[in-house]
Amino acid sequence: MRRSPILALAAVVGLAVPVLGQPGPAVFPDTPVGRAAREVIEVVNAADSAAVHRIIAGRFAPEFRDAFPMAHHLRTWRGMQEESGGYDLQAVRSATADRIEAVVRTRARGVLHLLDLRIEPEPPHLIVSMGIGPLDTRPEVPLGDAPDNPLSDPELVAELETYMERLVAADRFVGVVLLARGGEILFDRAYGLANRSDSVPNRPDTKFNLGSMNKMFTAITIAKLADERRLSLNDPIGKWLGTDWVRPEVGQKVTIEHLLTHTSGLGNYFTDEFMQASRTRFRDVDDYAPLVDQDSLRFEPGTDWSYSNTGFLLLGAIVEVVTGRSYYDIVRELVYEPAGMTDTDAYSMDEVVPNLAIGYDPEFGPDGIHWRSNLFLHAIRGGPAGGGFSTAPDLLRFALALRENRLLSPAWTARVTTPKPELGSPGYGYGFQVWDGGRVGHGGGFPGISSVLRIDLHGDYVLIVLSNVSMGERPVSRKVEQLLSPPTAS
């Protein structure tokens, strides 16, 4: 069975978690997350298209629901129903307040699958991610014990090297890992294949698709233009974009700052039209305008947070209007060139690009793993919202340039990397995710794309993980986070 495309948001993996003890037949716990999981299975088993539509429209969180067009969600559910014949619960592997993992058996062939479902911690407990598919039987690689005390750099490298050897031996990572302290590279390794058809290995300087990491570059470009007083973050976007891009009411209410912080109330341009169209239609920023010009607001701008690729697409359009030049030329001039990023760009996938990794999504079935490339899933060319390519060395140059205020003034660097809770954005600045401990950066995810850049603004460490396999970066970034943040002795 093909893994559901829903798994672009939540991977199905066999976590090393004991089965909860359950006397008699397995049952879902009577908790919000347990009831949500039970509802999902009941809807799959009912094979009722109206019920499927209701659960997607009414029980999915907006950022999850809008990540794919409704038609795409409906096709996914229909595929689950037809191929599984329904599911029977076998065991609940783990359950917390907002996440449940349950083993189910397909009625059609008796194959064990894993349901991995997450909900919002607060009422109405909407579903924020869901994956269901055949159990991945590859061995797990537990993180191991956290160090009792901070590690020296040689100890840190030794621990990471041992973990990566185990991870790769278990077929759990493909890609590149770079860890630096200041400008000194401590760990720089490449693993697995960039091109499986021709057995081309990944190299430390292989170009990987960044997914949404490009949002950082777009945000810095906008901040630079604001610093030069060529625009203001308080500008309503209708000042720069006409009705060929946004409805008049959207242009009046939404500001540039709302776009930068995902607080605009706009959604995502992955519409039915985009999914069904030839990708060659969408090569330049203006090509996307027909996908978003009728988008409406899901909430009043500045009152809530919802991840919006459309918002960052509009930022790219504003860059072009303000400068009178191509977004791609401007971001090269204001970001890539000052940082020394010579192997970073939004390459076109129908052109020859040396040393470029192809993304792969694993399919788990009774006869093992099959690998499917993402070439016909993704855009032909990335843009302001994501999808460009870079290398680990270039991303390190970017991190150092940001930290040394070579891209923006100190005041603007602080501004883009600081959360905006007053807008309902407590964990996101302007195009930058902000984690605990003063770390900033961004991740990127899509079938065959898994990346993260974390920059410690108050310390010295920079972590770069680039993988051309779905969900590949997570175990690595979790391990490095554990090694760099040992528990405080009580």
Side-chain angles (χ1 to χ4, degrees):
M1 174 181 171
R2 169 98 172 107
R3 286 201 313 161
S4 159
I6 290 175
L7 300 184
L9 300 180
V12 168
V13 293
L15 299 179
V17 182
V19 175
L20 298 182
Q22 294 173 324
V27 295
F28 287 109
D30 188 21
T31 61
V33 73
R35 291 191 289 271
R38 182 171 62 245
E39 181 180 0
V40 165
I41 295 301
E42 289 174 348
V43 170
V44 173
N45 292 351
D48 180 342
S49 58
V52 172
H53 195 285
R54 283 196 300 272
I55 194 172
I56 295 169
R59 293 286 287 122
F60 281 15
E63 63 270 22
F64 183 33
R65 181 190 63 231
D66 298 340
F68 297 99
M70 177 60 75
H72 192 71
H73 281 298
L74 294 174
R75 285 195 299 271
T76 297
W77 278 71
R78 185 167 61 250
M80 285 193 294
Q81 291 166 335
E82 291 175 353
E83 295 185 53
S84 70
Y87 297 104
D88 292 313
L89 178 64
Q90 301 299 296
V92 175
R93 295 184 65 171
S94 68
T96 63
D98 60 358
R99 182 181 184 183
I100 189 169
E101 294 176 339
V103 178
V104 295
R105 187 182 298 276
T106 66
R107 293 174 177 177
R109 292 190 296 154
V111 177
L112 292 179
H113 286 193
L114 184 68
L115 169 67
D116 185 350
L117 182 141
R118 296 172 188 259
I119 62 169
E120 294 174 337
E122 302 296 332
H125 302 298
L126 298 179
I127 297 170
V128 298
S129 67
M130 185 188 82
I132 187 167
L135 278 166
D136 177 359
T137 58
R138 295 176 297 173
E140 266 302 313
V141 180
L143 294 181
D145 296 331
D148 294 329
N149 300 295
L151 300 175
S152 67
D153 287 345
E155 291 172 333
L156 175 62
V157 169
E159 287 280 348
L160 182 55
E161 193 159 50
T162 298
Y163 181 75
M164 291 305 305
E165 289 173 357
R166 294 166 53 211
L167 204 64
V168 172
D171 194 22
R172 287 292 179 181
F173 182 75
V174 175
V176 168
V177 180
L178 188 153
L179 180 65
R181 186 172 188 177
E184 179 186 358
I185 296 175
L186 303 179
F187 188 93
D188 186 16
R189 305 282 193 280
Y191 306 92
L193 297 176
N195 183 323
R196 291 176 180 268
S197 297
D198 298 319
S199 299
V200 178
N202 280 316
R203 302 179 350 197
D205 62 346
T206 292
K207 302 179 183 74
F208 289 84
N209 196 309
L210 300 179
S212 288
M213 286 174 64
N214 282 88
K215 289 181 172 67
M216 296 182 294
F217 310 148
T218 299
I220 287 176
T221 301
I222 289 286
K224 187 70 174 176
L225 295 175
D227 192 24
E228 295 173 353
R229 301 185 184 279
R230 300 175 72 177
L231 57 79
S232 168
L233 300 194
N234 294 322
D235 286 343
I237 62 175
K239 176 179 178 178
W240 302 105
L241 302 178
T243 55
D244 56 331
W245 272 106
V246 294
R247 291 180 174 185
E249 61 270 26
V250 172
Q252 294 166 8
K253 290 185 175 183
V254 175
T255 67
I256 292 176
E257 186 176 40
H258 292 144
L259 300 182
L260 286 166
T261 54
H262 297 292
T263 60
S264 67
L266 294 169
N268 292 287
Y269 55 82
F270 298 118
T271 61
D272 289 336
E273 182 181 353
F274 175 77
M275 299 303 293
Q276 296 168 9
S278 168
R279 296 299 191 265
T280 57
R281 281 182 51 191
F282 308 107
R283 192 180 298 272
D284 296 317
V285 174
D286 282 347
D287 296 335
Y288 288 87
L291 299 179
V292 302
D293 61 348
Q294 295 303 308
D295 205 355
S296 57
L297 299 178
R298 290 149 179 79
F299 52 81
E300 281 297 307
T303 65
D304 204 349
W305 193 93
S306 182
Y307 196 81
S308 174
N309 285 304
T310 293
F312 272 77
L313 174 67
L314 295 179
L315 289 170
I318 291 171
V319 167
E320 294 196 333
V321 174
V322 171
T323 64
R325 296 170 58 195
S326 163
Y327 162 84
Y328 300 99
D329 292 340
I330 292 296
V331 77
R332 257 186 238 112
E333 179 181 305
L334 297 186
V335 181
Y336 304 156
E337 291 176 6
M341 301 167 71
T342 56
D343 289 318
T344 302
D345 212 331
Y347 303 110
S348 294
M349 293 297 91
D350 57 351
E351 297 178 0
V352 175
V353 181
N355 193 25
L356 183 137
I358 295 173
Y360 295 93
D361 191 40
E363 299 177 0
F364 303 102
D367 56 345
I369 301 173
H370 297 275
W371 295 95
R372 186 180 296 269
S373 85
N374 67 357
L375 290 177
F376 293 97
L377 294 175
H378 208 262
I380 196 168
R381 187 187 191 191
F389 286 78
S390 188
T391 66
D394 265 10
L395 290 174
L396 177 59
R397 296 182 187 103
F398 169 77
L400 295 176
L402 179 75
R403 197 157 58 188
E404 295 165 5
N405 302 305
R406 288 189 279 116
L407 299 176
L408 296 169
S409 68
W412 273 101
T413 298
R415 194 169 175 182
V416 299
T417 57
T418 301
K420 303 294 181 283
E422 68 277 8
L423 294 174
S425 183
Y428 203 93
Y430 296 155
F432 279 79
Q433 291 176 267
V434 184
W435 294 282
D436 292 338
R439 290 166 298 163
V440 303
H442 216 290
F446 191 79
I449 300 169
S450 185
S451 61
V452 72
L453 167 65
R454 293 187 181 178
I455 308 165
D456 186 351
L457 290 180
H458 304 304
D460 290 331
Y461 288 105
V462 175
L463 172 66
I464 300 157
V465 186
L466 303 173
S467 178
N468 55 323
V469 171
S470 305
M471 311 297 286
E473 65 83 10
R474 291 194 175 186
V476 183
S477 57
R478 287 174 59 212
K479 181 62 177 180
V480 173
E481 183 175 345
Q482 179 200 62
L483 294 175
L484 291 178
S485 304
T488 303
S490 57

